[in-house]
């Protein structure tokens, strides 16, 4: 792997065009916190010129993995791949000096295992609905560190019944889609999943939710465990290979970005290619199909600010899809959130691992939200929704956070449509 890291790093001509686009460089104005600096560090590490150290790890760890640098690089440096492989190389090096910390490991290995996640979900729903939460907060038992921040920032977790495997369309069938539900999304974004099933069914698509699907692998891939990421990738390719699945739909752009790169991750390139060719973000899919006559959104007189997740802009490259989809709602005023090219600070587990840096990035979004005039903030990624929701809860801003599919479902009648949603 050393030589491939060096070869990729050597594609960087050190022009510096990426620096103004890098959130960590903008915060620190330090070369070592810039894409160019990190590429040089990875090259030096792989060539043996620099030994593995906690300081080197810190520079790579503070990278958001937002890939804003990659999107503007004229030399087309595969920065995302370089970072993932550099982190993996460091963690797997025989010196064994660098490991994920306890909280990070716990979260990765809980969120990516369905049984543990379901247990956590049930426990959180009870905890948040009881007097225990108030007692824990007033007792200060969690201290002032990362655990306390994590507890305070968690959105409420509803009590959840298991999802069915199949949701046939009540109308004339136009096809079947496989729905990728994700880990954090299935815990914190259940309303988004139900909204997606409702809209897809209304558009004539039956929804198949493979029960043996698993985590997309993003957390393992980005935190130095590519072998585990590959296992998840291959399990998902098998789970969605059922005949008759016309398209594979993801709801969270963080998961979608990883699914879209299964061609690189998988060992079986043929089946990975077929998976990737069928994969769409939900907004993108709904923009590609023709909608049945009579399926029309009711008007909504609100102002929506759209947050463009980095994974939507820099990996999936379909950040315009939610704008196009929401144009189906008459009278809705749609505007981009200012500085959408800068990460909100969610970035996987970044807001847990680097809470202060994430808070600085979140504060920038808060400023833009406060001048946006919006009553709804729309984002297509569950991690961004949680980060921005936590930012908003700490202010007096009266803005709710929604996925674009939730707004579309609401304006199609979900919640008062006994004819079409009885099965949900
Ligand atoms: S834009 Fe590309 S080539 Fe230029 S410094 Fe950044 S990574 Fe290197
Ligand atoms: S991925 Fe984002 S944070 Fe990391 S170097 Fe590139 S622009 Fe900066």
């Amino acid at each position: 792997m050393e030589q491939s890291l060096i070869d990729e790093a050597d594609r960087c001509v050190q022009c510096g065009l990426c620096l103004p686009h890098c959130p960590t460089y903008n915060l620190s104005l330090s070369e070592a916190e810039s894409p160019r600096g990190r590429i040089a560090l990875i090259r030096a590490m792989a060539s043996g010129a620099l030994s593995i150290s906690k300081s080197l790890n810190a520079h790579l760890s503070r990278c958001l993995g937002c890939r804003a640098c990659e999107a503007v690089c004229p030399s087309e440096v595969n920065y995302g791949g370089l970072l993932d492989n550099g982190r993996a190389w460091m963690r797997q090096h025989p010196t064994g000096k660098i490991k994920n910390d306890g909280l990070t490991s716990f979260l990765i290995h809980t969120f990516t295992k369905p049984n543990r996640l379901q247990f956590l979900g049930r426990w959180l729903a009870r905890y948040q609905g009881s007097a225990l939460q108030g007692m824990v907060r007033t007792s200060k038992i969690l201290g002032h560190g990362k655990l306390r921040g994590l507890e305070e920032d968690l959105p409420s977790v509803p009590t959840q019944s298991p999802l069915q495997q199949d949701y046939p369309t009540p109308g004339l069938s136009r096809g079947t889609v496989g729905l990728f539900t994700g880990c954090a999304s299935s815990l914190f974004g259940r309303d988004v999943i139900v909204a997606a099933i409702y809209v897809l069914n209304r558009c004539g698509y039956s929804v198949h939710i493979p029960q043996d699907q698993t985590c997309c692998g993003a957390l393992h891939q980005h935190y130095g465990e590519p072998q585990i990421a590959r296992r998840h990738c291959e399990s998902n390719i098998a789970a969605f290979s059922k005949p008759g699945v016309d398209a594979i739909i993801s709801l969270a752009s963080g998961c979608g970005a990883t699914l879209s790169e299964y061609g690189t991750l998988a060992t079986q390139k043929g089946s990975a290619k077929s998976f990737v060719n069928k994969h769409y973000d939900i907004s993108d899919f709904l923009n590609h199909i023709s909608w049945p006559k009579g399926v029309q959104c009711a008007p909504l007189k609100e102002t929506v600010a759209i947050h463009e997740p980095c994974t939507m802009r820099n990996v999936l490259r379909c950040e315009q899809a939610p704008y196009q989809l929401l144009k189906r709602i008459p009278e809705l005023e749609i505007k981009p959130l200012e500085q959408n090219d800068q990460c909100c600070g969610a970035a996987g587990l970044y807001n847990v691992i680097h809470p202060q840096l994430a808070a600085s990035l979140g504060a920038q979004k808060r400023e833009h939200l406060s001048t946006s005039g919006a009553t709804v903030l729309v984002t297509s990624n569950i991690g961004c929704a949680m980060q921005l929701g936590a930012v908003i809860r700490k202010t007096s801003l009266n803005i709710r956070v929604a996925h674009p599919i939730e707004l579309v479902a609401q304006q199609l009648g979900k919640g008062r449509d006994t004819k079409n949603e009885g099965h949900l």
Side-chain angles (χ1 to χ4, degrees):
M1 184 192 281
E2 291 91 331
Q3 194 54 48
S4 64
L5 286 172
I6 293 168
D7 290 346
E8 192 58 40
D10 282 344
R11 290 164 62 92
C12 172
V13 296
Q14 304 184 346
C15 64
L17 286 174
C18 52
L19 267 62
H21 300 269
C22 173
T24 56
Y25 177 74
N26 290 336
L27 283 176
S28 66
L29 297 181
S30 159
E31 178 72 13
E33 298 295 320
S34 78
R36 183 174 60 188
R38 290 186 175 115
I39 291 169
L41 289 172
I42 292 170
R43 193 194 188 288
M45 172 183 78
S47 68
L50 193 64
S51 52
I52 292 175
S53 65
K54 291 203 165 140
S55 148
L56 171 62
N57 180 50
H59 290 304
L60 298 192
S61 170
R62 283 194 289 264
C63 174
L64 293 145
C66 68
R67 293 166 68 171
C69 48
E70 190 178 307
V72 297
C73 175
S75 300
E76 298 183 355
V77 174
N78 174 11
Y79 181 84
L82 194 56
L83 179 71
D84 288 346
N85 292 334
R87 284 175 171 172
W89 193 81
M90 208 166 29
R91 274 163 184 71
Q92 289 161 17
H93 196 266
T95 59
K97 274 186 189 163
I98 303 298
K99 292 197 171 15
N100 290 323
D101 67 35
L103 182 57
T104 306
S105 288
F106 169 77
L107 291 173
I108 292 174
H109 291 277
T110 300
F111 270 79
T112 57
K113 296 207 168 56
N115 290 346
R116 291 185 195 176
L117 194 64
Q118 277 170 17
F119 174 79
L120 180 68
R122 283 196 298 273
W123 187 86
L124 276 174
R126 281 194 203 126
Y127 166 74
Q128 291 176 335
S130 72
L132 183 61
Q133 183 173 46
M135 285 160 60
V136 166
R137 287 186 175 181
T138 46
S139 74
K140 309 247 184 317
I141 195 173
L142 298 178
H144 296 279
K146 293 177 180 176
L147 204 51
R148 181 176 172 193
L150 180 63
E151 195 277 338
E152 286 179 353
D153 287 351
L154 279 179
S156 62
V157 180
T159 314
Q160 297 168 343
S161 52
L163 290 166
Q164 295 167 205
Q165 180 164 281
D166 289 291
Y167 292 87
T169 177
L172 190 64
S173 177
R174 297 169 156 220
T176 298
V177 298
L179 189 63
F180 185 82
T181 50
C183 318
S185 303
S186 60
L187 186 58
F188 300 110
R190 179 60 70 100
D191 292 348
V192 177
I193 296 172
V194 175
I197 297 169
Y198 175 77
V199 175
L200 287 162
N201 278 177
R202 291 289 311 274
C203 286
Y205 285 86
S206 294
V207 177
H208 173 63
I209 303 181
Q211 303 294 295
D212 47 353
Q213 65 176 291
T214 182
C215 163
C216 65
L219 290 179
H220 294 293
Q221 176 72 358
H222 302 321
Y223 291 94
E225 297 176 337
Q227 295 87 348
I228 304 178
R230 187 165 296 115
R231 285 210 296 275
H232 286 309
C233 157
E234 289 175 350
S235 297
N236 282 325
I237 290 172
F240 282 89
S241 64
K242 179 184 165 186
V245 171
D246 304 304
I248 299 163
I249 309 291
S250 60
L251 306 173
S253 62
C255 305
T258 301
L259 301 183
S260 75
E261 296 192 328
Y262 272 5
T264 311
L265 194 54
T267 42
Q268 300 291 327
K269 300 296 182 198
S271 48
K273 189 172 174 208
S274 153
F275 180 100
V276 171
N277 287 344
K278 282 186 182 178
H279 169 249
Y280 292 85
D281 174 82
I282 180 82
S283 297
D284 198 23
F285 179 75
L286 290 170
N287 292 335
H288 271 83
I289 59 169
S290 63
W291 287 37
K293 274 187 197 153
V295 177
Q296 288 176 347
C297 294
L300 180 64
K301 275 197 173 178
E302 284 206 68
T303 302
V304 162
I306 296 192
H307 165 257
E308 299 169 10
C310 304
T311 38
M312 201 96 170
R313 287 174 60 89
N314 304 326
V315 187
L316 292 170
R317 312 255 170 136
C318 65
E319 72 276 10
Q320 291 304 313
Y323 294 89
Q324 195 183 333
L325 178 64
L326 291 178
K327 279 188 192 152
R328 287 188 171 270
I329 303 178
E331 298 181 27
L332 189 66
E333 189 183 346
I334 305 165
K335 50 170 79 167
L337 190 65
E338 286 284 308
Q339 292 205 331
N340 260 329
D341 62 335
Q342 295 289 290
C343 178
C344 66
L349 297 175
Y350 197 88
N351 48 1
V352 177
I353 299 169
H354 299 293
Q356 285 167 347
L357 287 171
S360 300
L361 295 168
Q364 293 173 0
K365 298 294 172 192
R366 183 179 62 226
E367 288 305 308
H368 299 313
L369 276 167
S370 66
T371 55
S372 68
T375 49
V376 187
L377 172 70
V378 161
T379 178
S380 298
N381 192 37
I382 183 72
C384 307
M386 289 167 69
Q387 159 83 345
L388 295 167
V391 165
I392 291 169
R393 282 197 296 278
K394 288 173 187 159
T395 69
S396 56
L397 294 172
N398 188 15
I399 300 176
R400 69 189 162 105
V401 182
H403 190 287
I405 200 69
E406 289 182 285
L407 281 191
V408 171
Q410 173 192 299
Q411 294 314 107
L412 283 178
K414 184 180 168 297
R416 49 193 187 282
D417 180 358
T418 44
K419 183 174 160 218
N420 292 301
E421 64 177 323
H423 61 307
L424 294 179

